[in-house]
């Protein structure tokens, strides 16, 4: 019964999305005379959000009670699983995650319908209509080809379980976080389409879109950061970024959203970069969808791809054609009539932001090309995989100049400026980079890229605070603080990445119980190995005494686990975290003569990668709070003004 | 109207074409066993239920081709596969089962509910046979010739369309 309720809610929500598409389109067409029909659009969007939320709640319910007559539960859950993983099993699969996707999209659509009042009503109608159109395609996908509520003819005796790799608290919350990001960008997409339809690309449009982009971007940043940390400690490979198609699928929308964020700021503040902002609005969401397609269609092989199905791939490809193709066609036809807006000099805040935008887009293109390259060559029957040897150096070509301009840009004035005015700051940046290069080159033999990264990160960390110079700190707008924190976060993450790649030490040792080995400043003793059991796995657990530089030893307990539903082996690494880095320990097999394989890494300052990511997201939150508070204040001011005028008239 | 505005659409069309072409091509991502053409490795498995014998590699060298079906009672696709195994048995195939990490009572319950096409089932608690013959999951089915050599591997559950293929493979071997 519960599953049927969920399914019914989903059909109703789909019908409302169709209604929203229709009334919005009719209202745009009718213009002034369409007020009556236009009045239907917002309530339809809100109700659609409520129904989709209800459907998702029903899915959570059948997973919570492990209703094995529902096919999705039987193939992805198990009665022995802890409750939290039963719930996360609801979205740890294709159908459930698509339902989560639609739910977030519908809730976001309902929210703009409820609160967004800045846009001209016609643009708003076009936006909601576009949002309904996009949602409708995903409802069709769910209902026609990926029904999450499908029943089994005969209820299963027991569930198949969940991929043990996914049974982890980090991964339970990583996909929803990313989805909030992906789907938040669908709002930016709908805004862009709405503005193209009514040809009203204005600063107001940019300020209306900006909080949504900021919100989506914060979630994406957090999702990518969490995903990277998860891959790092769960997969037991000791790395934090693998340029896997699935990872790239989240990085590409982030790059586009970062560019969009900056270009929307230019549009909101200076009424420039109109066509470019629209373009990025379309591209950002397109990247979310292309990523989804690549991951789910199975045309690319990845370590953590979803169950693949060409039929589903065809469906998503069709949606891509409809939405992205449609939006790009609209762009090609209409963007020419959207004039470029105010002009500006190269040496100006806008100039720096344009440069940053171009570099971000180039990086995006590089990542996209690298991700699609195997697909391209496979068309000619050559199987290749493109990895770090391509992405790292080629990406650096665009990222390094971008980081340099990122240090300078915020110091420049809007519209027109000269580098002469900030010559002291420029000299400071140059000196810092030079000092960093010399310092780190003296420390040891470091490859060029990590060396550049280390030197740049120091300079960036200092310059990210320069925009605060000469301001009264208490009166500085929160949004400026947001920018400072986010840019500082980039510097922190960059230092972590460069340090990890420059200074990491690895040791693969086979040791008997009681024997000692060394990695970096750590002395490691294997104290014992014992079998342990969890709720649905058994494991061998190593007890390792690790002492840093002769200090008090800490006990680490890495495990090699065996899950039985489905049978799979995983390695649970164990980390010892210090302020200056992490020791990473993995236990392998017994090598026969009583010796155990230990894989150990000492990674100086590696944790800064993720602290940096969190700082970047925090910067986004501050900017969002600043913008929203500003809007509320402005709205209150306008209301008071109107009240006063009304009093004056009376 | 500027031609540059059409560039994104053209690039996207290129992507669509490529992706569509890739989707239309048959996938070949199966992890094929390197053991095809090789003899079965040595193994002896105890019976998985009280009413059927266990399985040992030595039994396969008696000149009669057989199917070796790797399955488990906890595996959902194996339920879907059960009727097809029944049809294979009716077509004259001899099917030997290897149950992976299973319990005798669960095996018995499964056979009672979904039918029993097997002449023997061995219990493989350590995935010894599974790893030994290069199978990567359940269910999987191998065609073994009369000398105990692995001739063909079917990955995943056997569907209706696969039945004639397996019957033909067995037929060629004189089974």
């Amino acid at each position: 019964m519960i599953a049927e309720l969920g399914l019914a809610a989903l059909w109703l929500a789909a019908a409302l999305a169709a209604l929203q598409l229709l009334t919005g389109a009719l209202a745009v067409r009718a213009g002034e005379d369409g007020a009556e029909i236009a009045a239907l659009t917002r309530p339809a969007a809100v109700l659609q959000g409520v129904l989709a939320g209800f459907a998702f709640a029903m899915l959570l319910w059948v997973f919570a009670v492990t209703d094995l007559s529902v096919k999705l539960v039987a193939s992805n859950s198990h009665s022995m699983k802890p409750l939290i993983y039963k719930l996360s099993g609801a979205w740890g699969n294709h159908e459930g995650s698509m339902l989560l996707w639609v739910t977030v999209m519908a809730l976001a659509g309902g929210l703009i319908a409820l609160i967004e009042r800045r846009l001209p009503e016609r643009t708003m109608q076009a936006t909601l209509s576009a949002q309904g159109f996009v949602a409708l395609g995903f409802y069709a996908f769910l209902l026609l080809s990926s029904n999450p509520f499908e029943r089994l003819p005969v209820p299963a005796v027991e569930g198949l379980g969940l991929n043990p790799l996914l049974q982890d608290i980090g991964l339970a919350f990583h996909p929803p976080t990313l989805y909030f990001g992906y789907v938040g960008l669908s709002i930016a997409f709908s805004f862009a389409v709405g503005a193209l339809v009514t040809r009203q690309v204005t600063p107001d449009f940019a300020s209306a879109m900006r909080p949504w982009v900021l919100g989506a971007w914060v979630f994406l940043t957090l999702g990518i950061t969490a995903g990277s940390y998860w891959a790092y400690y769960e997969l037991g490979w000791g790395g934090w970024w693998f340029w896997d198609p699935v990872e790239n699928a989240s990085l590409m929308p982030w790059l586009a959203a970062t560019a969009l964020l900056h270009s929307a700021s230019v549009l909101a503040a200076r009424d420039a970069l109109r066509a470019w902002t629209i373009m990025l609005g379309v591209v950002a969401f397109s990247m979310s969808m292309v990523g989804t397609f690549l991951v789910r269609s199975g045309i690319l092989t990845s370590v953590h791809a979803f169950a693949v199905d060409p039929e589903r791939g065809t469906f998503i490809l069709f949606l891509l054609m409809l939405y992205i193709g449609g939006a790009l066609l609209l762009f090609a036809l209409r963007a020419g009539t959207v004039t470029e807006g105010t002009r500006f000099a190269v040496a100006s805040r806008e100039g720096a932001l344009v440069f940053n935008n171009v570099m971000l887009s180039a990086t995006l293109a590089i990542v996209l090309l690298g991700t699609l390259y195997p697909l391209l060559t496979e068309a000619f029957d050559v199987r290749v995989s493109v990895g770090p040897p391509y992405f790292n150096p080629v990406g650096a070509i665009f990222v390094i100049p971008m980081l340099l301009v990122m240090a300078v840009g915020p110091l420049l004035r809007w519209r027109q400026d000269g580098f002469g005015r900030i010559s002291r700051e420029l000299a400071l940046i140059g000196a810092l980079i030079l000092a960093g290069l010399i310092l780190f080159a003296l420390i040891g033999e470091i490859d060029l890229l990590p060396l550049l990264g280390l030197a740049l990160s120091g300079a960036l960390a200092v310059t990210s605070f320069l925009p605060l110079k000469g301001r009264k700190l208490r009166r500085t707008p929160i949004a400026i603080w947001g920018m400072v924190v986010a840019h500082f976060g980039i510097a922190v993450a960059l230092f972590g990445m460069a340090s990890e790649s420059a200074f990491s030490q690895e040791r693969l040792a086979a040791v008997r119980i009681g024997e000692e080995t060394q990695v970096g400043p750590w002395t490691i003793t294997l104290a014992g190995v014992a079998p342990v059991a969890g709720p649905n796995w058994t494991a061998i657990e190593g007890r390792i005494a690790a002492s840093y530089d002769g200090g008090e030893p800490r006990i680490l307990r890495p495990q090699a686990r065996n899950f039985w539903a489905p049978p799979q082996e995983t390695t649970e690494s164990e980390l010892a975290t210090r302020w200056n880095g992490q020791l990473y320990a993995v236990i392998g097999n017994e090598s026969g003569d009583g010796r155990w394989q230990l894989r150990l890494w000492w990674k100086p300052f590696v944790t800064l990668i993720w602290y940096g990511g969190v700082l970047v997201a925090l910067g986004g939150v501050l900017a969002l709070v600043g913008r929203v508070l500003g809007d509320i204040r402005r709205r209150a001011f306008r209301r008071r003004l109107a009240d006063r005028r009304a009093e004056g008239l009376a | 109207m500027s031609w540059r505005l059409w560039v994104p659409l053209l690039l996207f069309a290129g992507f669509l074409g490529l992706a569509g072409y890739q989707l239309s091509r048959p996938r070949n991502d199966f992890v094929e066993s390197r053991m095809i053409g090789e003899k079965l490795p040595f193994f002896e498995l105890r019976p998985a239920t009280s009413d059927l014998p266990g399985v040992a590699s030595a039994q396969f060298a008696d000149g009669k081709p057989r199917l070796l079906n790797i399955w488990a009672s906890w595996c959902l696709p194996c339920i879907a596969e059960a009727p097809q195994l029944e049809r294979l048995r009716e077509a004259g195939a001899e099917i030997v089962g290897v149950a992976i990490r299973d319990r005798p009572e669960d095996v018995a319950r499964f056979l009672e509910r979904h039918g029993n096409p097997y002449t023997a089932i061995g219990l493989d608690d350590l995935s010894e046979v599974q790893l030994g013959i290069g199978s990567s999951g359940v269910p999987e089915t191998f065609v073994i010739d009369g000398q105990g050599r692995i001739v063909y591997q079917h990955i995943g559950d056997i569907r209706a369309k696969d039945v004639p293929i397996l019957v033909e493979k067995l037929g060629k071997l004189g089974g």
Side-chain angles (χ1 to χ4, degrees):
Chain A
M1 189 55 197
I2 296 298
E4 282 68 29
L5 272 179
L7 189 61
L10 211 53
W11 276 105
L12 274 177
L16 280 163
L19 180 72
Q20 182 183 332
L21 160 67
L22 207 70
T23 58
L26 287 176
V28 171
R29 183 155 262 232
E32 295 284 301
D33 314 326
E36 256 170 54
I37 198 150
L40 287 173
T41 316
R42 285 184 194 249
V46 174
L47 199 55
Q48 185 210 327
V50 171
L51 283 167
F54 177 80
F56 190 69
M58 294 304 104
L59 186 71
L60 286 179
W61 186 326
V62 292
F63 268 89
V65 301
T66 318
D67 181 348
L68 291 168
S69 67
V70 174
K71 189 175 165 198
L72 194 64
V73 179
S75 36
N76 293 287
S77 199
H78 197 286
S79 58
M80 282 194 304
K81 277 205 308 193
L83 182 65
I84 179 74
Y85 298 125
K86 282 184 184 170
L87 291 179
S88 68
W91 58 77
N93 58 75
H94 166 77
E95 286 84 352
S97 63
M98 286 317 284
L99 181 57
L100 176 63
W101 172 292
V102 166
T103 304
V104 177
M105 195 189 271
L107 286 174
L111 203 60
I112 34 172
L114 268 183
I115 64 172
E116 187 50 63
R117 303 275 177 228
R118 257 169 307 191
L119 284 185
E121 187 56 24
R122 242 182 112 230
T123 308
M124 194 61 209
Q125 291 286 331
T127 300
L128 285 175
S129 179
Q131 184 77 8
F133 187 38
V134 175
L136 194 59
F138 283 93
Y139 284 120
F141 186 35
L142 270 171
L143 292 168
L144 304 179
S145 111
S146 314
N147 175 9
F149 295 108
E150 191 181 335
R151 295 266 189 192
L152 285 171
V154 185
V157 193
E158 187 46 275
L160 263 181
L162 170 75
N163 183 345
L165 278 179
L166 306 182
Q167 277 192 44
D168 179 274
I169 196 72
L171 212 69
F173 293 100
H174 162 62
T177 314
L178 274 181
Y179 277 24
F180 282 113
Y182 286 161
V183 179
L185 291 177
S186 77
I187 304 284
F189 177 85
S190 301
F191 268 98
V193 171
L196 272 178
V197 167
T198 60
R199 293 189 175 87
Q200 288 187 320
V201 186
T202 58
D204 265 350
F205 154 80
S207 358
M209 179 168 78
R210 187 161 52 182
W212 296 97
V213 181
L214 257 173
W217 182 81
V218 166
F219 278 114
L220 272 180
T221 309
L222 282 178
I224 292 172
T225 306
S228 155
Y229 192 64
W230 170 78
Y232 169 76
Y233 79 76
E234 177 69 29
L235 294 181
W237 299 344
W240 55 275
W241 194 265
F242 303 100
W243 297 108
D244 180 89
V246 176
E247 292 177 327
N248 294 347
S250 65
L251 181 64
M252 292 187 290
W254 185 85
L255 289 168
T258 310
L260 173 60
L261 203 59
H262 290 95
S263 116
S265 289
V266 175
L267 180 53
R270 308 296 311 167
D271 195 12
L273 302 187
R274 290 179 185 165
W276 185 242
T277 306
I278 293 284
M279 181 70 216
L280 284 172
V282 172
V283 166
F285 181 59
S286 302
M287 284 302 133
S288 308
M289 280 193 66
V290 167
T292 309
F293 167 73
L294 291 178
V295 172
R296 284 163 205 259
S297 61
I299 62 174
L300 286 179
T301 24
S302 147
V303 282
H304 42 350
F306 284 75
V308 296
D309 184 340
E311 186 200 326
R312 285 176 188 163
T314 312
F315 209 121
I316 305 183
L317 194 65
F318 180 70
L319 292 184
L320 284 180
M321 191 177 76
L322 211 60
Y323 298 142
I324 304 178
L328 290 176
L329 181 68
L330 193 65
F331 179 80
L333 292 173
R334 284 284 168 88
T337 64
V338 178
T339 47
E340 217 6 88
T342 317
R343 303 208 154 248
F344 52 84
V346 176
S348 65
R349 180 84 71 86
E350 291 98 321
L353 283 166
V354 168
F355 184 82
N356 139 317
N357 256 276
V358 172
M359 291 298 123
L360 279 169
S361 309
T363 314
L364 170 62
I366 291 296
V367 177
L368 184 63
L369 188 68
T371 311
L372 293 181
Y373 190 72
L375 204 63
L376 202 65
T377 58
E378 220 176 283
F380 303 100
D381 274 325
V382 184
R383 284 204 169 204
V384 294
S385 75
V386 181
Y390 160 81
F391 287 107
N392 290 342
V394 180
I397 294 174
F398 297 102
V399 170
I400 289 174
M402 183 182 78
L403 292 174
L404 282 171
V405 172
M406 185 184 114
V408 181
L411 307 174
L412 289 167
R413 289 193 184 131
W414 290 111
R415 210 164 72 80
Q416 196 166 18
D417 203 347
F419 289 112
R421 195 182 63 79
I422 55 164
S423 56
R424 264 206 251 152
E425 285 87 349
L426 287 176
L428 174 68
I429 296 170
L432 281 170
I433 294 177
L434 200 64
L437 282 175
I438 295 170
L439 177 71
F440 288 111
L442 286 179
I443 287 181
E445 262 182 45
I446 303 176
D447 287 338
L448 181 65
L449 279 183
L451 182 65
L452 279 177
L454 286 168
L456 251 178
S457 66
L460 273 182
V462 174
T463 51
S464 56
F465 287 98
L466 287 182
L468 294 176
K469 206 184 74 175
R471 281 179 183 270
K472 290 212 174 69
L473 291 189
R474 287 242 180 125
R475 311 204 58 169
T476 305
I478 305 178
I480 301 283
W481 279 104
M483 176 188 78
V484 168
V485 171
H487 285 185
F488 179 65
I490 296 276
V492 170
L494 180 65
F495 185 78
M497 295 170 193
S499 167
E500 194 264 350
S501 105
F503 305 122
S504 275
Q505 297 187 37
E506 183 180 357
R507 173 133 209 136
L508 182 62
V511 287
R512 287 197 180 78
I513 290 170
E515 266 182 359
E516 249 182 40
T517 182
Q518 282 277 332
V519 57
W522 292 85
T523 307
I524 314 285
T525 316
L526 181 61
V529 177
V532 288
N536 55 352
W537 46 263
T538 55
I540 48 157
E541 183 179 272
R543 232 158 43 88
I544 293 171
S547 118
Y548 183 85
D549 214 8
E552 195 63 21
R554 304 187 196 192
I555 303 295
L556 298 184
R557 298 167 185 274
Q559 297 177 341
R561 282 189 190 171
N562 270 304
F563 286 78
W564 58 73
Q568 186 167 350
E569 282 180 23
T570 68
T571 54
E572 300 291 309
S573 56
E574 172 98 58
L575 306 167
T577 309
R578 284 175 52 87
W579 65 272
N580 63 343
Q582 274 186 330
L583 173 72
Y584 188 115
V586 176
I587 188 159
N589 297 322
E590 193 184 357
S591 55
D593 49 354
R595 300 197 299 173
W596 293 84
Q597 279 183 0
L598 287 182
R599 209 180 174 105
L600 305 160
W601 283 273
W602 165 236
K603 293 173 174 290
F605 297 109
V606 67
T607 42
L608 292 187
I609 297 174
W610 304 290
Y611 286 133
V614 172
L615 276 177
V616 173
L618 177 67
V621 172
L622 286 179
L624 186 60
V625 169
R627 298 287 174 217
V628 171
L629 281 182
D631 282 347
I632 293 174
R633 239 177 264 143
R634 224 164 295 138
R635 229 181 263 186
F637 176 72
R638 267 184 218 150
R639 205 175 307 135
R640 250 178 289 140
L641 203 68
D643 286 353
R644 220 170 284 161
R645 262 191 214 138
E647 273 170 32
L649 284 176
Chain B
M1 189 164 34
S2 165
W3 61 270
R4 267 173 301 173
L5 297 175
W6 292 88
V7 172
L9 187 63
L10 284 178
L11 287 176
F12 180 66
F15 166 77
L16 274 186
L18 186 65
Y21 171 70
Q22 284 293 340
L23 270 183
S24 65
R25 297 204 322 170
R27 299 299 302 162
N28 189 18
D29 278 341
F30 283 152
V31 188
E32 222 173 54
S33 169
R34 294 222 185 100
M35 293 295 291
I36 288 177
E38 304 280 318
K39 267 204 172 300
L40 280 175
F42 174 82
F43 61 85
E44 275 179 3
L45 297 177
R46 63 193 168 91
T49 73
S50 50
D51 39 0
L52 286 176
V55 181
S57 50
Q59 296 163 3
F60 289 87
D62 61 355
K64 187 172 163 47
R66 291 180 178 83
L67 293 181
L68 178 65
N69 178 238
I70 310 250
W71 67 286
S73 68
W74 43 262
C75 138
L76 272 193
C78 298
I79 299 177
E81 185 180 64
Q84 308 308 333
L85 287 177
E86 197 58 42
R87 282 174 53 192
L88 278 165
R89 189 187 62 87
E90 280 159 14
E94 186 182 335
I95 307 171
V96 172
V98 169
I100 305 295
R101 297 191 196 187
D102 227 326
R103 287 196 302 235
E105 58 270 31
D106 291 338
V107 169
R109 202 178 307 137
F110 183 97
L111 298 180
E112 204 175 298
R113 184 171 297 177
H114 303 290
N116 179 6
Y118 303 103
T119 54
I121 306 176
L123 200 54
D124 189 5
D125 283 334
L126 303 170
S127 294
E128 168 195 356
V129 174
Q130 186 174 29
L131 296 176
I133 63 176
S135 139
S136 53
V138 277
E140 258 180 55
T141 306
F142 293 82
V143 177
I144 315 288
D145 74 4
Q147 279 77 52
R149 254 197 304 272
I150 303 167
V151 176
Y152 178 77
Q153 177 187 25
H154 177 91
I155 297 178
D157 56 319
I158 297 171
R159 308 209 171 155
K161 64 177 169 48
D162 306 316
V163 171
I165 302 173
L166 289 168
V167 168
E168 187 204 318
K169 298 261 177 207
L170 282 173
K172 271 193 195 151
L173 298 167

